[in-house]
Amino acid sequence: MRKTVTRLADGRELVYFDAHDEDRAAVDRRPLDPVVSASEIRYDALLDEYVAIASHRQGRIYHPPADSCPLCPSTDDWQSEIPATSYEVAVFENRFPSLEGEHGRCEVVCFTSDHTASFADLTEERAALVLAAWTDRTAELSALPGVEQVYCFENRGAEIGVTLAHPHGQIYAFPFTAPRTATMLRNAAAHRAHTRRNLFDDLVERERKDERVVLAGEHWTAFVPYAARWPYEVHLYPHRRVADLTALDDDARAEFPRLYLELLRRFDRLFGPDAPPTPYIAAWHQAPTARSGAAEDRDEFALHLELFTVRRASGKLKYLAGTESGMGAFMNDVSPESAADRLREVASS
């Protein structure tokens, strides 16, 4: 892998990741002013959680036409966020960040220069390059002052709320430990105190023996969790517990692209050949950074990816109802066992 670091016209960082040597000397010639962010972090004492207030994001780019996509390569007629006329994987600081400066950092990850593609269309080599980019950014952002957790994720589909159709994901460097991670860490600590074992290890061992396994390799297992919240939800765990992406070994890295691409392709087959692409969120859960307030719990955490869709049936979406939005109490209309059955049925031939 070759990594090339450069700057955009307003000073934001742009990083190219290439499987082979490429000329990345193209310059951003736009007359851009430096990014001015109004983000702030506020503490909710009732829930012991933090909320980011980012009112400036109301003005971000919203569903532009394909010939004005800011994530496509630049041309003679269009200067995008990426000056190169082609690229493999590119990462840059978000022009409309929810987190910025002392409040963290937000980056955009472009998986391919092909505007009409999706992650599921990538080759295994390209998916491996994206994994390398996620790993690199996890290491770099974890080292920034004040960063407590790095979160790599992809939102796909207008139903999820995506404002740019180009295949891409995001990375948030939080100045706090995310609420779900904090809950997992508390439960892992209680489990350790009660059983002297690791909660994630026990969970994965149990799930790997159950009927809800969707896909299994030598180094990873994908399963629908016993208490799935979403109609179709899959968790992907490496067999060797590690805290974050930087700690994966070579064998796990080599196997990941094949299994992950197969999972995404199965998601697109869930609702039949005539259904539009399945909207989904793919979320990497990583331990807090080594310098965070929860650093002492890093060894108890297990890196894993959670993939889920808000589509519950063809033409039907799951909306968060009053119990879920108001109280955080989820009600799932699809049994995890039937969801796993369906995900096995739509395996690639």
Side-chain angles (χ1 to χ4, degrees), residues 66-325:
D67 60 0
S68 299
C69 173
L71 307 185
C72 284
S74 293
T75 66
D76 292 339
D77 301 320
W78 170 247
Q79 180 74 57
S80 76
E81 289 280 65
I82 303 171
T85 57
S86 67
Y87 65 85
E88 295 184 52
V89 176
V91 180
F92 60 87
E93 291 182 72
N94 198 322
R95 191 176 175 188
F96 301 94
S98 299
L99 307 167
E100 189 267 336
E102 65 181 19
H103 297 144
R105 175 156 155 163
C106 295
E107 297 185 340
V108 177
V109 185
C110 298
F111 306 138
T112 171
S113 60
D114 184 351
H115 183 83
T116 62
S118 68
F119 201 118
D121 297 322
L122 301 183
T123 64
E124 289 186 21
E125 181 184 50
R126 179 61 59 82
L129 189 62
V130 175
L131 176 61
W134 284 330
T135 304
D136 174 274
R137 303 318 299 156
T138 294
E140 293 285 339
L141 296 176
S142 294
L144 293 179
V147 171
E148 292 217 359
Q149 188 176 19
V150 177
Y151 173 47
C152 306
F153 64 103
E154 180 192 2
N155 299 334
R156 203 275 287 266
E159 299 93 331
I160 295 295
V162 173
T163 58
L164 297 176
H166 194 103
H168 73 287
Q170 299 181 66
I171 305 176
Y172 277 27
F174 288 119
F176 51 80
T177 298
R180 286 196 67 197
T181 305
T183 299
M184 292 179 192
L185 289 173
R186 286 194 298 271
N187 292 337
H191 188 81
R192 172 67 72 180
H194 182 65
T195 68
R196 298 185 180 180
R197 297 192 304 271
N198 179 270
L199 174 61
F200 292 95
D201 290 348
D202 285 356
L203 181 149
V204 173
E205 181 181 4
R206 182 172 65 249
E207 293 284 9
R208 288 179 66 189
K209 297 175 181 177
D210 210 286
E211 61 182 310
R212 293 179 306 280
V213 170
V214 173
L215 193 62
E218 185 178 352
H219 304 285
W220 298 81
T221 293
F223 56 86
V224 177
Y226 175 73
R229 286 166 166 75
W230 299 95
Y232 293 91
E233 176 180 346
V234 175
H235 294 189
L236 179 63
Y237 276 79
H239 296 168
R240 184 178 70 88
R241 175 165 51 90
V242 296
D244 60 29
L245 288 165
T246 68
L248 286 174
D249 60 28
D250 291 342
D251 290 335
R253 291 182 187 282
E255 187 179 72
F256 171 79
R258 177 178 62 82
L259 268 63
Y260 186 49
L261 289 171
E262 172 64 15
L263 278 178
L264 293 181
R265 291 162 186 167
R266 292 189 189 192
F267 260 58
D268 275 342
R269 296 189 185 97
L270 277 172
F271 305 103
D274 298 324
T278 301
Y280 65 75
I281 292 175
W284 279 110
H285 290 258
Q286 305 195 84
T289 65
R291 296 185 301 171
S292 72
E296 68 276 7
D297 300 320
R298 275 178 58 81
D299 290 342
E300 286 294 303
F301 197 83
L303 167 76
H304 63 283
L305 183 141
E306 298 185 7
L307 173 68
F308 60 90
T309 179
V310 296
R311 185 175 291 165
R312 57 187 175 87
S314 182
K316 298 178 181 179
L317 298 180
K318 173 183 173 59
Y319 295 98
L320 294 187
T323 56
E324 292 142 337
S325 294

Side-chain angles (χ1 to χ4, degrees), residues 36-42 51-57 97-104 106:
V36 177
S37 171
S39 66
E40 58 176 306
I41 303 297
R42 296 185 181 182
V51 177
I53 308 296
S55 57
H56 63 283
R57 283 177 53 79
S98 299
L99 307 167
E100 189 267 336
E102 65 181 19
H103 297 144
C106 295

